[in-house]
Structures are given as structure tokens and as C-alpha cells.
């Protein structure tokens, strides 16, 4: 009898993303052009001009060009790009902090682009919360009052909003700082207050615009861990803007890379690192260790007869974690999904997958 070994590695977390219904956010053909007569450019050949040529010819700047994407409930959707790529403008168009020049945005089934000012206020107060790079805390108010501020704007009673703020401060580990003032806190702690304030109103969508760019690297990593933990605990849908690829890869279920206002590739971290769409994306991911991002699903091959009795690993297992198992096994390691072998991985497939990552 063939004995099958199932490795006792911790199983990768199941996907939190719910694709069983409609997307929570749907952006379709979104444009933002700054300048006089911007409305005359969309739909013409000028709209396709490189940014510098468009500005020289018309005096207009195309910050966002024909962008479309969906964000599903529970998803962390990251938009990244270099400075000037249009990513921050894009996230602001989602809730019309910047008016889009064209296109449609739906959030939670509501057409944001057609919403009245009163409806927009309700959207920003109840459905979405935004966390900026600059904390924007009220210096004259205690931490707990800063966290409760959004609830105060909603008209929630003082007792109720303070009770809610206390719970959220516990969620972010700041319950002992409730009665402090912002200037008594470190930068990382102030940003935690900003996170708590955004979570306090219990929004359906969290929007982050480069919230950790001003923090030093160690605090920044701690805050990334905090966002990951909060997302897992609350299941909030998040749109996260960053110019930092490692940050995008750590946080994102899917990542959209922007250049000159357009999305040049949209995919999972594996898809970006394993199959960059063009030279621009390839340059972005060149220094990322492939073994840290790819799973054995990405590198597996079809099993040949007699190869399905080797050690088994979940198909979502990270290549880096799988390498010791593969190196110690005389037989190909089986990639398993829902109890079924869907492929195998051996030393040759690993070497092929990670070739060149240290070049």
C-alpha cells in the first residue's frame, strides 16, 4: 500500500474576498483631465497623446485616463505607481473629492457620479472612510474625541459615540491613550488614531491614500501589519494607494499599477511578479524575490503516472516555505486543492521559477 504524507505546515488562509454577488465598487471608464475645455478632449485623438504632448498642445493634463476596475467585498485592492501616475487623483474621484471628467463609479449599488451633494455627504459619512498621509487630528481634542468625531458629525449621541470610540481604540491597541492629546503621541500612534477614527463609523469601504509614507520604515511595517490584522478581524473592503511595491505586495489581494494616468497591469501579486505585462512592470518587480511571492500553484506542473504519492502541500503554499520540503523529498511534492492533487512540484520546477531572482 502506498503511504501518502500530508505535511503539517500551517494552511494558508482562505480567501476573504466574496465574489458571489456584485462588486462593492465598480469604476467604469473614469477620466480626470485638468485644464480649460477638458470636456472637449475625451473621445478625440488628443486624448491618446502622451501627457507632455497633450499639455503642450492643449494646456490640459490627463491625470486619470479611461480607468475601469471592480473591487469585491472583503478585498484589499491596491493602486500603486510613481509620483504623478494618477493614483491619488483616482482614489479621490471614487467619492468625488475630485470630480471625474467622465465615467461612472458605483459604490454599494449607488451611482456616485450621479449623486446629489446631500447624497455625497451621506456616502462620505456612512459608507466610506478615508485615511490620509497627514493625520489631520484635532490638536485641541483628546484621542477618544478625535476617534468619535465622525460619529459626532453623524449626529450620534455623546454616550453612544464615546462607547463606540472606546471599542475601536481597543481594536487598534490605544485604549490606554484615550485621554491623551495628539501631540503627546508618536507618529505611529497618531496614525493609529487616524485608523480608529475611520473604523469608528463602521464604513463599508476604507480608502487609504499613502497613509504611511511619512513614517519611518520600522513604524511603517508595524502599521502595515496593523492594517492586515484589522482587515482580517473586520473584513472591511479596502482601497489602498501607495508608491511602494513591497507595501503593495504585502497588503494587496490584487494590485493595479498605474503610469501616466492609466492602468498598465491589474492582477494578483503572483501575476505581477510572475508574469509582468510589459517592461515598465518588469522593472518594478525586478528586485522582488520571486520565491517570496509565488505559490506552488504558480510553478507546479502536471503529475505524471505514479507521481501522486509524494508529500502533499496546499496549493497556496508560498514557494519559499515549500523549498525545504521539496529539497528533502526524493519524490515530487504534490500540490493539493480541496483534497485533490492538482499538480506536482520538484526541484527542477523550483529552480526554473526562481531563476534570475538573485541576478
Amino acid at each position: 500500500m502506498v503511504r501518502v504524507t500530508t505535511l503539517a505546515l500551517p494552511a494558508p488562509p482562505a480567501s476573504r474576498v466574496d465574489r458571489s454577488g456584485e462588486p462593492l465598487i465598480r469604476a467604469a471608464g473614469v477620466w480626470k483631465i485638468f485644464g480649460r475645455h477638458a470636456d472637449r478632449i475625451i473621445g478625440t485623438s488628443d486624448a491618446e497623446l502622451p501627457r507632455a504632448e497633450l499639455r503642450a498642445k492643449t494646456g490640459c493634463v490627463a491625470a486619470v485616463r479611461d480607468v475601469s476596475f471592480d473591487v469585491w467585498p472583503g478585498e484589499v485592492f491596491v493602486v500603486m505607481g510613481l509620483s504623478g501616475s494618477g493614483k491619488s487623483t483616482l482614489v479621490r474621484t471614487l467619492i468625488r473629492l475630485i470630480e471625474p471628467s467622465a465615467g461612472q463609479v458605483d459604490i454599494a449599488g449607488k451611482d456616485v457620479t450621479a449623486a446629489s451633494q446631500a447624497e455625497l455627504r451621506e456616502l462620505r459619512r456612512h459608507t466610506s472612510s478615508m485615511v490620509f498621509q497627514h493625520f489631520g487630528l484635532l490638536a485641541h481634542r483628546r484621542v477618544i474625541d478625535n476617534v468619535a468625531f465622525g460619529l459626532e458629525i453623524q449626529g450620534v449621541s455623546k454616550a453612544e459615540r464615546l462607547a463606540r470610540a472606546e471599542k475601536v481604540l481597543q481594536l487598534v491597541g490605544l485604549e490606554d491613550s484615550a485621554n491623551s492629546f495628539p501631540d503627546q503621541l508618536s507618529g505611529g500612534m497618531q496614525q493609529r488614531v487616524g485608523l480608529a477614527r475611520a473604523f469608528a463609523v463602521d464604513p463599508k469601504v476604507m480608502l487609504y491614500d499613502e497613509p504611511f509614507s511619512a513614517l519611518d520604515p520600522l513604524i511603517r511595517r508595524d502599521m502595515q501589519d496593523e492594517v492586515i490584522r484589522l482587515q482580517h478581524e473586520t473584513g472591511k473592503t479596502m482601497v489602498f494607494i501607495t508608491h511602494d511595491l513591497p507595501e503593495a505586495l504585502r497588503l494587496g489581494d490584487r494590485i493595479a499599477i498605474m503610469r501616466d494616468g492609466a492602468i498598465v497591469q491589474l492582477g494578483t501579486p503572483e501575476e505581477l511578479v510572475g508574469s509582468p505585462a510589459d517592461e515598465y512592470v518588469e522593472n518594478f518587480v525586478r528586485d522582488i524575490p520571486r520565491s517570496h511571492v509565488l505559490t506552488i500553484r504558480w510553478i507546479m506542473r502536471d503529475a505524471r503516472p505514479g507521481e501522486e504519492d509524494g508529500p502533499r502541500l496546499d496549493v497556496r503554499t508560498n514557494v519559499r516555505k515549500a523549498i525545504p520540503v521539496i529539497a528533502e523529498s526524493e519524490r515530487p511534492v504534490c500540490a493539493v486543492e480541496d483534497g485533490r492533487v492538482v499538480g506536482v512540484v520538484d526541484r527542477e520546477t523550483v529552480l526554473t521559477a526562481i531563476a534570475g531572482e538573485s541576478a
Side-chain angles (χ1 to χ4, degrees), residues 129-145:
S129 281
M130 196 157 187
V131 181
F132 297 94
Q133 175 180 343
H134 301 291
F135 317 130
L137 303 181
L138 301 172
H140 62 289
R141 290 196 174 199
R142 299 174 302 160
V143 164
I144 194 168
D145 297 317

Side-chain angles (χ1 to χ4, degrees), residues 259-271:
R259 177 179 60 181
D260 292 338
I263 292 178
V264 294
Q265 186 169 0
L266 195 165
T268 65
E270 274 192 287
E271 289 167 341

Side-chain angles (χ1 to χ4, degrees), residues 200-261:
V201 297
D202 195 24
K204 293 183 178 179
V205 178
M206 300 281 293
L207 304 174
Y208 296 84
D209 188 11
E210 301 202 62
F212 310 141
S213 295
L215 303 177
D216 70 51
L218 290 179
I219 296 177
R220 181 171 184 156
R221 188 172 180 86
D222 287 344
M223 293 305 301
Q224 292 167 6
D225 290 340
E226 188 73 359
V227 167
I228 292 169
R229 182 183 69 81
L230 290 170
Q231 205 285 333
H232 278 273
E233 290 189 13
T234 65
K236 293 296 181 187
T237 304
M238 300 182 178
V239 178
F240 196 99
I241 306 301
T242 182
H243 64 268
D244 184 76
L245 181 60
E247 182 169 76
L249 294 173
R250 286 197 77 208
L251 298 177
D253 294 304
R254 288 186 302 146
I255 301 166
I257 295 183
M258 293 189 71
R259 177 179 60 181
D260 292 338

Side-chain angles (χ1 to χ4, degrees), residues 1-27:
M1 182 177 71
V2 176
R3 188 174 181 182
V4 176
T5 302
T6 301
L7 275 291
L9 291 178
S15 175
R16 312 170 305 279
V17 183
D18 179 11
R19 291 186 170 86
S20 62
E22 292 294 313
L24 189 59
I25 302 174
R26 172 160 282 165

Side-chain angles (χ1 to χ4, degrees), residues 109-135:
K110 179 70 177 180
D111 184 352
V112 178
T113 43
S116 66
Q117 288 301 311
E119 290 170 328
L120 276 180
R121 284 193 295 272
E122 287 300 297
L123 172 79
R124 295 167 186 166
R125 289 175 180 176
H126 298 279
T127 304
S128 66
S129 281
M130 196 157 187
V131 181
F132 297 94
Q133 175 180 343
H134 301 291
F135 317 130

